[in-house]
Amino acid sequence: MTQKTSDKSRRNFLKSFGVTVGAAGVVSSFSLLSAAKAAAKEPGETVNLLTADGQLVQVDKNQLRPTVNEPLDELQQRGREGIAGKSFVMVIDLSKCRNARKCMSACQNHHQLRADQHHINVLQMQDADHTAPYFMPKPCQHCDNPPCTKVCPVDATFKRQDGIVLIDNERCIGCRFCIAACPYSARIFQWTEPKDAEKYKDLTYNIEANVPQKKGTVSKCLFSADRLREDKLPSCVSACPNGVYYFGDRNEDAVTNGTSGETVRFSKLIEENAGYTLMEELGTKPRVYYLPPKNRAFEFNGDLLNEENLH
Amino acid sequence: MNDDTKSKETTLSFEKIKQDVLRPMQNHRGLELWIVFLITVISVGAWAYYVQLRDGLGVTGMRDYVSWGLYIANFVFFVAVSLVGMLISSILGLLKVDWIAPISRIAEIIAVAFVAVAGLVIVLDMGRPDRVLNVMIHGRFQSPILWDVTVITTYLVISALLLILPMIPDLAICKKEIKTAPPMLKKLYAILSFGYTNTPEQHKHLHKMIRTLMVLIVPVGLAIHTVTSWLFAATLRNGWDTTIFGPYFVAGAFVAGSAALIIAMYFFRVNYKLQDYITELHFDKMGKLMVAVCLVYLYFNVNEFLVPGYKMKSGDSVHLKELFFGSWAIMFWSSQLLGNILPIILMVNKRFRMPKPIMIISIFVLASAWFKRYVIVIPTMLHPHLPIQNVPDNYQHYFPSSVEITVTVLSFALALLIITVLAKIFPVVPICEIADQKGIDYKIEE
Ligand code: SF4
Ligand code: SF4
């Protein structure tokens, strides 16, 4: 009986914070389980949660359940269709990238990846001898002529109408042909049980975030398709402290800087800064544009580029 | 093994051929032990595979960059070896080369065993083998994997038919002669001999069917290895992004397949005491054939490596330097030398086309062929367009893990087991065809 009361009081306490909370900033949002169900369960492990207004609280794990409101079928269907009328593009300003790597960690949090798994990877580049080294964040290029989707035997990786290339890890057979086919090394594989697999095993699969990740399947950058659906910028774009990323819609010719929130014309940005795409000679037609690393206001501080790190 | 090469040409009667070929099928000596050994190896391999299923492909040495490793190299090797069936029994058969008669069945047995196991190896490589049926349910025909699945299945079926159909007359003999066969096997002989009694009409029909299949298997055989090469050539990677991969792989397959056949010929000749059938002449001819296919393969190798090596485009140059002088040099050059150049030099010499020397050369050729596949698959994966950074150290190298090696050994044991069983229940040398060729009259009774 005392047990029940304490459960209830904790619940009320949480309710007063406005209920929707993100698991220590780790993943998608959680909400409280219905009272009856929670009361029936033994108290188990507690987890730390960050409430909407920034308080850290401890909650019984049994009381949590993910807030995925849509059933799997619907998520899968809308995930495959994409967002009508949109044509998403990303612009990465190399002159601003200082290797802060906030994009990498935000991405790993969002997509339940370990620290050595990258949907986006900040590379140290040097194009030729005697040219200046620079940092280059490299997400999936969401190619318009994607070599990866062409080779998939089961249509588990596909391109949708808004230009985003996604992966259906409910269907992927783990042949890794797409990894071999991607010239940008943008894809990773879940060689073992993914991070926190146990914790997320009951979560409904969301194809637009590719979570929960599954052992034996492929993953890669998804332009945070789940966040785009809520009109938010991709995780990496929002997380960058240095104004490196712009993200937006080519149809509207507008891209928004994730740091400053400023929206500019996409075509003008590209034109004025001599934007380019990566390895365009391969004919992959990337949707990620780069602005060259010129006029940098900081020193390149990479662990200098010896032969092995570069080709 | 002791090769009794001195056995002289005896005059053959149908009775003698029959006895010579059927005797080893009834004589069990050592066979059980060999089968038990193979099954033990397979069981250990199966356990290793279970570990892989349970813990994920992470138990292999593969990681995000080298995401295709030993399994895929081995798959290519198996497909390559299986091509010998099409080379010997179809191409040469259609060209009416008649010395192949006593060895074409061995070639066909190798083809069936290796292509069947190749199909399995690809499943062993999958991250989610439980979803293998997705390939049927959600199959997308734009993917070369679908083409590969289709042609490999077709090749397996036609090869099996090309093994069984020419064997029908022999099986009719087995049905009658092998009294000690267990009932199951007798039933199999009865079913597969289709009541054949060698009437002229049956003979005509059978040969028509066989000829049709021989024609059919040529494009299918070319396709299996061409499509397998496209799994690589269809990508944009340095070292794979070339246009000659199809014929290059096919030529290499003929080399590997011929070597495998010579080894098997030698084994059956000695262990089954078939010196009267698989003669020095056959080794000599196979040696010449091998020189021919090696020369073709050498030609493709020169094209494949010299041309990009001359240009040294930036991507290719890293890759080629690693192959020519870097950490892959030993494997690269020894597979070229031992698997191609030296065999040519040696085998133009008649002495080296004698059974024993050519068998030893073939072992080197076959081993080199295996390593060559390894050199084709793995280094390319280590040389992507963009640098490999911010990943654990073991992502930058590749060495197969013990689990991976054990599972690969399983694939070999399985292929050998299939060959052993087929050679145990079926006559490895075609009795009636040899009699036909020698102009010996025979009757097959009901
Ligand atoms: S970058 Fe690679 S994974 Fe992304 S769309 Fe292009 S080929 Fe596919
Ligand atoms: S690994 Fe999965 S997504 Fe990639 S090609 Fe194979 S089935 Fe398709």
Side-chain angles (χ1 to χ4, degrees), chain A residues 151-154 156-157 172-178 187 218:
Chain A
V151 299
C152 179
V154 293
T157 183
C172 171
I173 61 171
C175 66
R176 313 188 297 293
F177 200 175
C178 54
R187 291 174 168 253
V218 153

Side-chain angles (χ1 to χ4, degrees), chain A residues 147-162:
Chain A
C148 55
T149 66
K150 275 189 213 169
V151 299
C152 179
V154 293
D155 205 18
T157 183
F158 54 89
K159 187 167 190 75
R160 33 181 238 182
Q161 55 174 325
D162 52 16

Side-chain angles (χ1 to χ4, degrees), chain B residues 81-86 106-116 155-156 159:
Chain B
V81 171
S82 80
L83 227 60
V84 71
M86 162 226 173
I106 300 177
E108 225 40 84
I109 287 177
I110 295 177
V112 169
F114 274 77
V115 77
Y155 187 74
L156 176 60
S159 293

Side-chain angles (χ1 to χ4, degrees), chain A residues 101 118 121-122 124 149-153 169 171-177 179-180 189 191 215-216 309 311, chain B residues 53-54 56-58 62-64 67-68 125 127-128 131 134 138-140 143 231 237 384 386-387 389-390:
Chain A
R101 302 203 173 180
H118 310 296
N121 195 355
V122 180
Q124 304 181 25
T149 66
K150 275 189 213 169
V151 299
C152 179
N169 83 15
R171 184 184 287 187
C172 171
I173 61 171
C175 66
R176 313 188 297 293
F177 200 175
I179 299 185
F189 189 72
W191 299 97
K215 179 175 90 177
N309 281 340
H311 307 135
Chain B
L53 267 189
R54 188 190 62 198
L57 281 168
M62 292 185 277
R63 289 297 180 265
D64 289 344
S67 53
W68 278 351
D125 182 67
R128 295 299 302 251
R131 295 179 180 170
N134 277 7
H138 301 292
R140 240 178 110 256
S143 167
L231 297 184
R237 285 181 182 259
L386 294 172
Q389 289 173 4
N390 310 324

Side-chain angles (χ1 to χ4, degrees), chain B residues 38-312:
Chain B
L38 287 179
I39 290 180
T40 315
V41 174
I42 291 171
S43 314
V44 176
W47 172 79
Y49 181 63
Y50 163 75
V51 171
Q52 177 183 314
L53 267 189
R54 188 190 62 198
D55 300 345
L57 281 168
V59 300
T60 68
M62 292 185 277
R63 289 297 180 265
D64 289 344
Y65 289 89
V66 182
S67 53
W68 278 351
L70 184 59
Y71 293 155
I72 295 289
N74 196 43
F75 163 74
V76 178
F77 175 80
F78 270 72
V79 176
V81 171
S82 80
L83 227 60
V84 71
M86 162 226 173
L87 172 68
I88 299 293
S89 39
S90 302
I91 298 187
L92 297 188
L94 287 171
L95 293 174
K96 300 221 183 306
V97 174
D98 54 9
W99 58 265
I100 58 154
I103 59 171
S104 61
R105 187 162 299 156
I106 300 177
E108 225 40 84
I109 287 177
I110 295 177
V112 169
F114 274 77
V115 77
V117 176
L120 180 77
V121 170
I122 211 82
V123 177
L124 298 180
D125 182 67
M126 283 169 54
R128 295 299 302 251
D130 52 317
R131 295 179 180 170
V132 67
L133 283 183
N134 277 7
V135 177
M136 313 284 159
I137 304 167
H138 301 292
R140 240 178 110 256
F141 225 79
Q142 293 94 315
S143 167
I145 289 191
L146 258 276
W147 313 341
D148 222 17
V149 170
T150 314
V151 289
I152 285 186
T153 325
T154 318
Y155 187 74
L156 176 60
V157 171
I158 303 186
S159 293
L161 286 175
L162 268 177
L163 174 64
I164 292 165
L165 289 186
M167 204 158 55
I168 288 176
D170 289 359
L171 292 177
I173 295 175
C174 289
K175 183 177 73 174
K176 207 171 149 285
E177 298 281 330
I178 306 189
K179 304 254 159 37
T180 54
M184 279 264 286
L185 193 55
K186 276 191 181 141
K187 197 146 192 189
L188 185 73
Y189 291 147
I191 296 172
L192 288 183
S193 55
F194 300 99
Y196 188 83
T197 51
N198 204 25
T199 62
E201 196 168 335
Q202 282 179 334
H203 192 271
K204 208 179 99 201
H205 272 305
L206 187 60
H207 279 259
K208 220 172 173 177
M209 274 198 284
I210 295 172
R211 270 195 82 78
T212 316
L213 287 175
M214 280 160 115
V215 174
L216 271 181
I217 204 165
V218 175
V220 178
L222 282 177
I224 58 166
H225 219 39
T226 307
V227 171
T228 301
S229 82
W230 290 348
L231 297 184
F232 308 99
T235 69
L236 296 162
R237 285 181 182 259
N238 305 320
W240 291 351
D241 185 4
T242 107
T243 51
I244 66 161
F245 250 36
Y248 170 55
F249 271 43
V250 170
F254 287 159
V255 174
S258 307
L261 177 60
I262 291 171
I263 298 169
M265 279 162 58
Y266 185 86
F267 175 84
F268 285 120
R269 171 181 156 97
V270 174
N271 279 32
Y272 277 33
K273 309 231 166 2
L274 296 172
Q275 281 89 348
D276 288 339
Y277 309 92
I278 304 170
T279 63
E280 282 173 16
L281 169 106
H282 294 106
F283 287 91
D284 188 66
K285 297 270 192 200
M286 278 305 294
K288 287 179 182 157
L289 178 67
M290 186 113 116
V291 171
V293 288
C294 276
L295 281 170
V296 177
Y297 191 41
L298 182 64
Y299 171 70
F300 278 114
N301 271 291
V302 169
N303 278 278
E304 174 63 18
F305 293 103
L306 194 85
V307 176
Y310 185 86
K311 292 185 284 197
M312 282 292 181

Side-chain angles (χ1 to χ4, degrees), chain B residues 248 297 301 305 335-336 368-376:
Chain B
Y248 170 55
Y297 191 41
N301 271 291
F305 293 103
S335 68
Q336 293 288 12
S368 305
W370 192 89
F371 281 104
K372 183 72 189 293
R373 305 306 180 277
Y374 195 86
V375 169
I376 290 176

